[in-house]
Amino acid sequence: MRRLGPWQIDRDPAPRGWWVLVVSLGAIASAFLAAGALFWAFGIGPARAYSTIFLGTLGDARAAPEVLRQAIPLLLCGVGLVMAFRAQFWNIGAEGQLLAGAVAAAGVALFAPLPAPLVVPAMFAAGFAAGALWGLLPTLLRLKLDVNEVLSTLMMNYIALFFVEWLIHGPWKGQEQRGFAYTDTLPPAAWLPLLPGTRVHWVTLALGLALAGGLAFLLARTKLGFEIRVLGQNPTASRYAGINPLRTTLVAMLISAGAAGLAGVGEVAGIHHRLLAPDQISLGYGYAAIIVAWLARGSPLAAVLTALFLGLIFSSGDVMKVTLQMPFRVTDIFNGLILFFLIGSERLLTYRLRRVPRPAPHATAVSPGPERQTGAGIPEETGVAESK
Amino acid sequence: MLSLRGITKTFPGVLANDHVTLEVRSGEVHALLGENGAGKTTLMSILYGIHQPDAGEIRLRGRRVHIRSPRDAIGLGIGMVPQHFLLIRRHTVAENIALGLPGERFVRPARRIEPRVRELGARYGLAVDPRAAIWQLSPSEQQRVEILKALIRGAQALILDEPTSVLTPQEVRGLFDVLRRMKQEGHAVIFISHKLDEVTEIADRVTVLRRGRVVATLPIAETDKRSLARLMVGRDVEFQVRKAPRTPDGDALVADNLVVLSDRGLPALRGISFSVRRGEILGIAGIAGNGQRELVEVITGLRPARSGRVRLLDHEVTNLSARALHEAGVAHIPEDRMLMGIVPAMSVAENLVLKQYRYPPFSRGPVIDRQAIAQFARRMIAEYEIVTPGSDVPARLLSGGNIQKLILSRELSGRPEVIVASHPTAGLDVSATEQIHTVLLQRRQRGAAILLVSEDLDEILALADRIGVLFSGEIVGIVSGAEADRERLGLMMTGQRV
């Protein structure tokens, strides 16, 4: 292949874990560099901007839990998307599924006559079901009519968004809110407990962690997980192996959309305690979760780390708004840059750099056996991100 | 005329060419013989400018040349007829030949080239209608178009990569006539093959490659098939797998008047009937695209039958699912190993239980038992001599032969009643082929009914007890393996009932 001084660029059939990590971190670093140009355009020195952001998030004992708080919906949506992506179902609709979950949770809390201890469990159950239902239509459209799921799930987001708008302006508009467009405050039985001194609704967090662990087990150790992996990695082989593509995709997608619904429950019951404008319920968690899932490279456990990372970016948005007087939507640009560089760097994974001394061309001769096997340690792409 | 000296080329982990030297003279057919993976294609890709060598030089008429791209190669008078044709199916012959030719007019560029096509066609025996669209042509005619393409671009040296793999025996003879005429006209022809019969028939000299090295360059008159085989493989080769006599038992698989549609909704099988008995191999010969794929898929549950019936051991199994048929005892060795037979990113062990994962002992309830799977994998790897660094590496790292052994061991582990094997040794080296043939014959001995679909007539002749020839979705005839000869099968492959 191509030479660069003493280095040679080769194709690599099996990228190793450390190389995937290096490339991913390189992509993130590039995104930060590019975002630095943005700060500079705002008249803020990138170095000062990043130090301010660091001090305002991880460097501050009171602000640090906010990272965790923002990571909760990202984790739930992200873990769900990992499932869908593993089945090669490109669910872009976590945002809408999250809103569907939020609506269901608010509906249960406001209107269902339940004894107090049952309210929260009922909200989570309804939220999961509503999210799953929101994901069901695009799934059926794709499986039965071959409608592209990227478009249909994306469109479902807008339907969910305007449905929430309609609810809070219309039938569900609160009596006590004096013209503001939100519902009445939920009864206290529907409020999730917080970690003292923070806004971390730990019940949802625990649910997210349990889901990450459970789905990692599901993928690695169960028949269903086996089927999802076969289907996702080679649909032709899955047909040949007699795996039912309908059932398998449906289950993966219901888990995916249901998890996003749980995130919506958490935001309503843990933070806002009412149903309000869609852009206040979710700051685009459903979209940012695509990055969470992509960075996690198919591993539900790695999604815990990547959700924390994206949580950090969202908290930085608060700092940028408050301390640096920049618009909060800068986080969207940030996220966009990260995803852009990540996808762009994907090609690099299939290459590797080898040091090959120039003078003796015969020295490039390597024995076929052991060399080929060096990259063989990773059965799938899962083990990779876990090494972080 | 043309010489490659000390060509060395490495790919990650593989030394594809190791100081290869090849001299080709004008007016000779020079065969490049070697197993798959011996480095033939790499060497020719270097000559044609697709790859750059790590070391070594190419000389043309004594002058050193640097070939950086196929464009350079064409400019130097080197032409290539690829194994898989690079033609635009909806365009005409003349349009395909004119495409990319320098100096053609902007409007209707193909018109001016038609007389040239006819003239060259007559001179070399490459008759083909310049105004016919490619999709209307047979593989043999498409190959002629590829050769004409190279000749019109002024090729003095022509590389033919496995040119006979898509031809019937009669068509092979036609191609050889063309090559002989090219020889008389002073062209140099490099003929890549792993078929010894063809090499000894057409070549003047032969260079044998093994594991990237030249093991010999010989005039064909000074050698024979047996010694060429020894050079190619590195040991003595059995030309005929020993087939023990066996009287077949009752019918195991019966197809009755099957009609099946292709992906495009056109009839691919037009009412075919046949039976395979226990302890018998029924070979299905024919040129690719005459309904073979649809036949395999309808019997393995991957494609529905429009009408007609399939019976398996006296049970009606028409249009059962792939899973139900697997459970009923139908094993399927698919045509496309990488695309259908395995999940390349999953581990060898997981691929070994691709169909069995849902039954005990590999899973209990919803949970998979990884220990049981690993144990089974170790047993299969030992039993079928699958060469792999371990059972937990991705299956894509295995060589073609080992992937095929993996598939074979998985499909045969359930002691199937019926084995449907589609091109089971395509692209495999001699020793892997031998191993697979041996295994199939063992199963026949033990009473399995085997449906062997292959484009390789030698394979069918060596293994099959009866041979059916498929042409245009119909079985032209079924002949006994003992009485079959290549000549007759070749005629049947073009649809003639003999």
Side-chain angles (χ1 to χ4, degrees), chain A residues 79 82-83 86 209-222 225 229 298-302 382 386, chain B residues 370:
Chain A
V79 163
V82 163
M83 275 314 271
R86 283 299 285 267
L209 292 173
L211 200 64
L215 292 184
F217 181 84
L218 179 97
L219 279 173
R221 298 290 184 89
T222 66
R229 286 185 292 141
S299 158
L301 290 176
T382 50
E386 281 161 13
Chain B
R370 292 214 286 200

Side-chain angles (χ1 to χ4, degrees), chain B residues 31-46:
Chain B
L32 195 55
L33 183 69
E35 293 202 78
N36 288 289
K40 304 178 301 245
T41 304
T42 304
L43 188 66
M44 290 303 110
S45 305
I46 288 170

Side-chain angles (χ1 to χ4, degrees), chain A:
Chain A
M1 291 238 139
R2 188 164 296 174
R3 278 181 154 279
L4 288 173
W7 298 89
Q8 183 168 323
I9 302 170
D10 284 332
R11 272 196 159 288
D12 189 351
R16 264 133 303 175
W18 65 266
W19 178 238
V20 176
L21 193 64
V22 165
V23 169
S24 302
L25 291 178
I28 291 169
S30 309
F32 274 82
L33 270 178
L38 190 73
F39 292 131
W40 183 75
F42 262 93
I44 304 162
R48 186 172 82 83
Y50 282 123
S51 70
T52 313
I53 287 168
F54 181 78
L55 290 175
T57 52
L58 294 180
D60 180 341
R62 274 181 313 159
E66 272 300 286
V67 175
L68 197 56
R69 202 239 338 146
Q70 304 252 35
I72 296 171
L74 289 165
L75 172 60
L76 278 162
C77 294
V79 163
L81 290 186
V82 163
M83 275 314 271
F85 293 175
R86 283 299 285 267
Q88 292 271 306
F89 191 95
W90 304 109
N91 178 14
I92 309 298
E95 185 80 3
Q97 292 143 17
L98 181 152
L99 291 175
V103 167
V108 166
L110 288 172
F111 306 114
L114 286 170
L118 286 184
V119 172
V120 166
M123 286 167 78
F124 276 114
F128 186 91
L133 200 66
W134 213 254
L136 182 65
L137 183 66
T139 314
L140 291 180
L141 282 174
R142 148 77 187 268
L143 294 176
K144 290 292 182 191
L145 300 173
D146 215 17
V147 174
N148 185 313
E149 74 273 19
V150 173
L151 296 176
S152 57
T153 50
L154 185 64
M155 293 304 138
M156 290 294 284
N157 289 347
Y158 293 101
I159 300 176
L161 192 150
F162 288 110
F163 181 59
V164 173
E165 291 279 7
W166 173 72
L167 281 177
I168 58 175
H169 282 101
W172 284 14
K173 185 170 176 178
Q175 305 301 312
E176 57 198 69
Q177 304 294 356
R178 297 190 203 170
F180 285 111
Y182 25 77
T183 61
D184 288 331
T185 307
L186 307 186
W191 295 22
L192 294 177
L194 303 177
L195 286 181
T198 70
R199 294 204 288 161
V200 177
H201 39 112
W202 58 268
V203 181
T204 326
L205 178 63
L207 218 51
L209 292 173
L211 200 64
L215 292 184
F217 181 84
L218 179 97
L219 279 173
R221 298 290 184 89
T222 66
K223 287 199 276 196
L224 178 64
F226 190 91
E227 285 161 359
I228 290 173
R229 286 185 292 141
V230 172
L231 180 70
Q233 272 154 349
N234 189 347
T236 313
S238 80
R239 226 163 61 82
Y240 163 74
I243 291 168
N244 183 342
L246 234 96
R247 194 187 78 108
T248 312
T249 311
L250 203 62
V251 174
M253 186 53 195
L254 290 186
I255 293 173
S256 176
L262 292 180
V265 180
E267 293 311 289
V268 165
I271 309 288
H272 306 295
H273 305 138
R274 57 168 76 99
L275 192 68
L276 65 177
D279 60 345
Q280 285 175 291
I281 300 173
S282 167
L283 307 172
Y285 297 128
Y287 294 113
I290 298 168
I291 309 176
V292 171
W294 197 288
L295 264 176
R297 296 191 183 279
S299 158
L301 290 176
V304 176
L305 294 178
T306 57
L308 281 170
F309 172 67
L310 264 289
L312 178 65
I313 298 209
F314 271 90
S315 328
S316 323
D318 290 331
V319 178
M320 288 187 264
K321 188 171 78 174
V322 178
T323 318
L324 299 175
Q325 309 285 311
M326 291 172 75
F328 178 78
R329 286 296 168 196
V330 170
T331 49
D332 288 347
I333 298 176
F334 232 125
N335 288 341
L337 284 171
I338 292 175
L339 196 57
F340 178 82
F341 279 102
L342 270 179
I343 294 173
S345 70
E346 206 75 348
R347 288 296 293 173
L348 292 177
L349 292 179
T350 56
Y351 290 92
R352 62 175 174 182
L353 212 53
R354 275 194 312 147
R355 202 182 158 80
V356 180
R358 178 58 112 169
H362 313 332
T364 56
V366 281
S367 59
E371 177 71 17
R372 184 181 270 187
Q373 294 158 15
T374 44
I378 330 138
E380 277 154 286
E381 290 167 344
T382 50
V384 169
E386 281 161 13
S387 62
K388 284 179 189 172

Side-chain angles (χ1 to χ4, degrees), chain B residues 335-378:
Chain B
E335 176 182 348
D336 194 325
R337 286 190 277 275
M338 295 300 271
L339 193 69
M340 186 178 272
I342 60 163
V343 183
M346 285 172 71
S347 74
V348 170
E350 287 179 316
N351 272 291
L352 279 165
V353 294
L354 193 61
K355 288 181 176 175
Q356 294 91 329
Y357 70 93
R358 51 176 97 92
Y359 315 114
F362 305 123
S363 57
R364 275 171 308 219
V367 179
I368 275 176
D369 185 341
R370 292 214 286 200
Q371 224 102 54
I373 291 175
Q375 211 175 354
F376 174 76
R378 276 195 295 276

